[in-house]
Amino acid sequence: MTAIETSSSNKKVLVKATNIGVKRGKRWIFRNVDFQIKRGEVVFLIGANGAGKSTCTKVALGLIQPTEGSIERTLSKQMGYVPQRLAIAPTLPLTLHRMMTLTGKFSAQDVDAALAQVGLDRLGNPPVHTLSGGEFQRLLLARAMLHRPEFLVLDEPDQGIDTAGATVLYSLIEQLRKNSNCGILLVSHSIERVMDYGDDIIVLVPHEYDDRSRNPNHGA
């Protein structure tokens, strides 16, 4: 893997995609997309349903390989991921603190600190299914940050949350970006959020064409 140099602004480039595309059968999900994500930056990924946002995030995380193009990662720590939805059955005896430690062993001090970062320390240790939509997304964010990732992917974190809750969530994301200096790729439908919080933007456009066509997608 070729090392990625730091930028002139001394922000380390964590992930760099060059002319990437993913093809399924005869259809290109997306194509000719370029982007880079640096430490301390929030890059928004936007596009209509079917434009390939989820597929693009999987490529960024290394879960799937692009059909064409190249993707480079220079990460000294692991990556974090906050899904759009995670269903928890009400009958499952899962508390807030137990949810935090499902993916690893962490000290009570580290768990408490992560919960305090997102404002959930005041709740105590309630069953997870009693949390509001906004509280649950903040819990997922705290769980991801508990691993201290260098690169964090958030898949529409404001989905199903009211305006007030979404504003709180994005303010927390901004604080975490500043405090941890991690690079963030954030999938969103909200142009307003992009303007308020984004350092860069990737726009995907849904399309179908064969190998002879060129893609209208623009990667910022």
Side-chain angles (χ1 to χ4, degrees), residues 124-146:
N125 192 29
V128 169
H129 73 269
T130 65
L131 301 178
S132 68
E135 289 170 340
F136 187 71
Q137 285 302 111
R138 286 153 59 189
L139 172 59
L140 294 180
L141 182 60
R143 192 176 71 156
M145 295 306 298
L146 191 57

Side-chain angles (χ1 to χ4, degrees), residues 74-129:
T74 300
L75 300 169
S76 57
K77 299 179 182 179
Q78 64 180 326
M79 298 176 284
Y81 176 65
V82 176
Q84 182 183 138
R85 295 183 182 89
L86 186 60
I88 303 294
T91 55
L92 190 65
L94 191 64
T95 65
L96 186 147
H97 283 263
R98 179 67 183 120
M99 180 75 175
M100 288 288 288
T101 57
L102 280 177
T103 55
K105 294 182 178 180
F106 303 96
S107 69
Q109 182 178 3
D110 286 344
V111 170
D112 290 342
L115 291 171
Q117 274 190 296
V118 299
L120 294 181
D121 52 319
R122 59 181 176 78
L123 295 182
N125 192 29
V128 169
H129 73 269

Side-chain angles (χ1 to χ4, degrees), residues 2 19 22 29 31 38 41 43 72-73 75 81-82 85 90 127 148 163 165 186 200 202 217:
T2 303
N19 198 36
V22 173
I29 307 302
R31 201 177 188 191
K38 304 174 186 176
E41 289 189 346
V43 175
E72 304 170 49
R73 301 175 192 83
L75 300 169
Y81 176 65
V82 176
R85 295 183 182 89
R148 296 181 173 87
T163 302
L186 200 158
D200 208 345
I202 307 161
N217 286 340

Side-chain angles (χ1 to χ4, degrees), residues 134 157-158 161-173 193 197:
D158 55 352
I161 302 176
D162 61 26
T163 302
T167 298
V168 171
L169 182 65
Y170 275 96
S171 295
L172 287 171
I173 293 169
R193 302 296 180 186
Y197 298 100

